[in-house]
């Protein structure tokens, strides 16, 4: 009960952190208090969110892997819990911003698609050299389904190598994904970096496999170890913040290296008591819907005061509106909500 509550609570926190990643107007005055606050949350805390989702997904799937017919059932279940929400929350912004209201900037988190086959395919994530342009954060759902598809191989490798395959996956991760798409002179071109970051995420492969390993080889994280890991993670992350402030592309590697330590810290300090279902029950809804509200706020946001800290107001508005819509859908359109949120 304690572990399941911590998993759910942390999932909600990570969903909130994902919204931080996608804010349009971050403070730009390097060294100011608002910039430091944003940089700490964005580059040190928020970077753990999606790795956590991959890790938990691998953990839960591995627990079922010993059952007869588990893989087929897992694929069918993910078609409902990942595939249907993916289609719905790509279709909604596509209709809104490419068909019904094609105004404003063509770019952004819910990009406007041109009415031609290649652009529409990219909008719905059928081009692995770009994100699902209709709703970019849904690359995670696409990648997770691919990992579930490959999960028998992942599980076999983790079992046969007794976990040492994680080292190889980690090296591959650092070799293919420098943590930023803006890295002049990197040995891979940007299009291929997009593939390994979002098309088939090597980061996702690493943390999905780590979750699988933890399910097979349970480990206990003491409070002292978790707090020590947190101190190390924050130190490494602050190096990344400093590198980013100086314009160095190497900041991405520091952020990547800080993730496991910060994850251990957050797990250690996470409340073991169940939070209200209104919160934890809408973590997935926040993830899939917040891009629509961030896009809708592009023009109205200009009416807000032009202050560095307004990005946090934008975050609060996006989260609040997403929660309100999720609650309204569950109340007034329960069948649609059941499909759109994958039964969550």
């Amino acid at each position: 009960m304690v572990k399941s509550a911590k998993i759910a609570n942390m999932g909600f926190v990570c969903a909130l952190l994902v919204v931080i990643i996608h804010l349009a107007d971050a403070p730009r005055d390097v060294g100011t208090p608002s910039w430091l606050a944003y940089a700490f949350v964005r580059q040190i805390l928020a970077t753990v969110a999606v790795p956590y989702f991959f890790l938990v997904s691998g953990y839960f799937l591995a627990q079922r892997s010993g059952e007869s017919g588990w893989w087929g059932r897992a694929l069918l279940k993910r078609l409902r819990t990942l595939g249907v929400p993916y289609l719905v929350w790509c279709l909604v912004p596509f209709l809104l911003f490419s068909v019904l209201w094609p105004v404003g900037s063509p770019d952004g988190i819910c990009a406007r698609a041109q009415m031609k086959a290649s652009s529409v395919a990219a909008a719905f994530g059928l081009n692995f050299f770009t994100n699902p342009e209709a709703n970019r954060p849904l690359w995670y759902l696409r990648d997770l389904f691919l990992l579930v598809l490959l999960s028998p191989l992942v599980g076999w490798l983790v079992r046969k190598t007794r976990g040492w395959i994680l080292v190889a996956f980690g090296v591959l991760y650092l070799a293919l994904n420098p943590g930023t798409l803006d890295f002049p002179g990197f040995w891979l071109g940007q299009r291929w970096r997009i593939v390994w970051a979002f098309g088939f995420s090597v980061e996702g492969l690493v943390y999905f496999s780590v979750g699988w390993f933890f399910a097979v080889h349970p480990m206990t994280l003491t409070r002292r170890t978790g707090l020590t890991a947190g101190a190390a993670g924050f130190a490494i992350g602050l190096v990344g913040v400093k590198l980013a402030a100086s314009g160095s592309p190497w900041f991405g590697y520091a952020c990547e290296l800080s993730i496991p330590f910060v994850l251990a810290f957050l797990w250690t300090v996470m409340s073991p008591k169940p939070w209200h279902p209104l919160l934890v029950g809408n973590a997935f809804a926040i993830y899939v819907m917040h891009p629509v509200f961030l896009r809708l706020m592009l023009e109205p946001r200009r009416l807000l005061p032009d202050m560095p800290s307004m990005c946090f107001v934008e975050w609060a508005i996006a989260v609040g509106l997403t929660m309100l819509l999720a609650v309204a859908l569950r109340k007034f359109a329960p069948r649609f909500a059941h499909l759109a949120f994958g039964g969550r």
Side-chain angles (χ1 to χ4, degrees), residues 25 300-311 313-314 317:
D25 293 327
R301 189 172 58 242
R302 304 184 196 286
L303 301 176
L304 299 174
D306 186 15
M307 299 170 57
S309 59
M310 287 309 294
C311 66
V313 176
E314 177 191 359
I317 292 173

Side-chain angles (χ1 to χ4, degrees), residues 92-170:
V92 168
F94 174 78
L95 293 176
L96 278 176
F97 307 122
S98 297
V99 178
L100 300 176
W101 191 45
V103 297
S105 171
D107 301 316
I109 196 169
C110 293
R112 187 169 75 237
Q114 300 178 38
M115 291 301 118
K116 59 182 183 179
S118 59
S119 295
V120 173
F124 284 84
L126 299 180
N127 180 352
F128 278 63
F129 287 92
T130 184
N131 289 318
E133 292 301 291
N135 193 336
R136 290 183 180 178
L138 298 196
W139 67 267
Y140 160 71
L141 302 189
R142 179 181 64 184
D143 274 28
L144 182 55
F145 187 82
L146 291 176
L147 286 169
V148 174
L149 191 64
L150 295 173
S151 58
L153 175 60
V154 171
W156 182 82
L157 288 171
V158 170
R159 184 176 65 256
K160 286 297 183 180
T161 66
R162 298 182 181 180
W164 284 105
I165 191 64
L166 300 179
V167 176
F169 287 162

